[in-house]
Amino acid sequence: MTDPQWLDDVEMRAWLGYVRTRDLIAAAIGRDAGRTANLSWVEYSVLVYLADAPGQRLTFADLAGALEWSQSRLSHQITRMQKRGLVTRETMPHDARRTVARLTTAGGQLLTTAAPAHVRSVRRHMIDVLDREQLAALAEIYDVLITHHRAAPHDCGPAAREPDPAASTYSRDDDTTATPAPAVDADTTVRSDATAGADTTAHSDATADADTTVGAEAPPDEATAGAGTTIGAEATG
């Protein structure tokens, strides 16, 4: 069997830099959201998409597509948010087979309260850390990656649980034996300390619909899931 193309030092820095900053930033913003609004990052993301939609409602198919989740994961999330009175689910008037998620008045009010603090958190933990040139470069990099992955075929569908082909050590010396890295279950949930007692559950955006792996070189505490789906810090209207 031919050896894989192991990552060199620059490639390793890029890969683990992404993994570590994704988790650190997501966790920090998630903690802030829990403290200021008792709202997880995932819940905030769902509320924003619904608030921006016509009639403040979206079909499950459209909302799952916007969040890049499976409809199964979305259904579980909506159920949790229903219990808090933030959203409700309805059937389409002319097509009972289609389910719609709708923002409630309470959900809209909570989003209005949470949005300013969310933007401040995004700025503090990411935007204001970089200068304008670095932000532009980062934005271009993410544009390339997003375009690549959205254009890639998804033969098994977003909910498939295929083994991650990258689930192994990413670089090694010639005399080192590669060992598999632990995969993070896509349905694993995490709670920040600030929201541990609340009925909120945050999922990592990196584990939305596929197993995510971290190189074996990464410390165990940095191989944990992040705090939720990334959503822009746009005004919520």
Side-chain angles (χ1 to χ4, degrees):
M1 181 181 296
T2 304
D3 278 350
Q5 187 177 358
W6 301 105
L7 303 189
D8 61 28
D9 290 345
V10 173
E11 292 167 337
M12 179 66 78
R13 284 179 58 207
W15 168 242
L16 291 184
Y18 158 73
V19 172
R20 290 166 175 168
T21 55
R22 175 204 68 195
D23 294 344
L24 289 170
I25 292 171
I29 294 174
R31 285 193 299 270
D32 287 349
R35 283 193 296 264
T36 59
N38 191 24
L39 193 66
S40 76
W41 195 356
V42 170
E43 291 170 325
Y44 183 89
S45 302
V46 172
L47 295 181
V48 167
Y49 279 116
L50 292 179
D52 288 344
Q56 298 188 326
R57 68 187 68 197
L58 284 170
T59 65
F60 270 42
D62 289 340
L63 183 54
L67 291 163
E68 300 191 48
W69 293 356
S70 68
Q71 289 195 48
S72 174
R73 179 187 173 188
L74 176 63
S75 180
H76 287 299
Q77 183 63 46
I78 293 299
T79 296
R80 286 189 289 268
M81 294 176 71
Q82 274 188 288
K83 293 177 181 178
R84 298 189 62 194
L86 304 178
V87 299
T88 185
R89 69 174 75 200
E90 306 168 348
T91 56
M92 293 281 285
H94 305 296
D95 188 351
R97 297 170 300 176
R98 302 178 69 190
T99 305
V100 173
R102 181 176 61 81
L103 184 70
T104 64
T105 300
Q109 292 173 341
L110 184 58
L111 180 60
T112 299
T113 300
H118 173 75
V119 174
R120 287 193 295 270
S121 181
V122 169
R123 285 195 168 279
R124 179 168 62 255
H125 297 299
M126 179 180 170
I127 301 301
D128 292 346
V129 177
L130 305 174
D131 62 33
R132 200 68 183 176
E133 184 176 345
Q134 290 171 325
L135 284 171
L138 186 62
E140 290 181 6
I141 290 168
Y142 284 137
D143 284 345
V144 171
L145 292 171
I146 290 170
T147 298
H148 168 76
H149 287 284
R150 286 182 174 167
H154 297 285
D155 296 335
C156 298
R161 293 292 185 268
E162 293 294 331
D164 191 324
S168 64
T169 305
Y170 296 102
S171 68
R172 66 173 185 177
D173 296 328
D174 290 342
D175 60 349
T176 302
T177 301
T179 55
V184 180
D185 189 333
D187 290 327
T188 299
T189 56
V190 294
R191 293 173 182 264
S192 70
D193 294 339
T195 58
D199 187 19
T200 59
T201 307
H203 287 260
S204 172
D205 55 323
T207 59
D209 296 308
D211 291 340
T212 298
T213 58
V214 179
E217 293 81 1
D221 62 337
E222 292 180 341
T224 55
T229 302
T230 301
I231 191 75
E234 309 91 340
T236 57

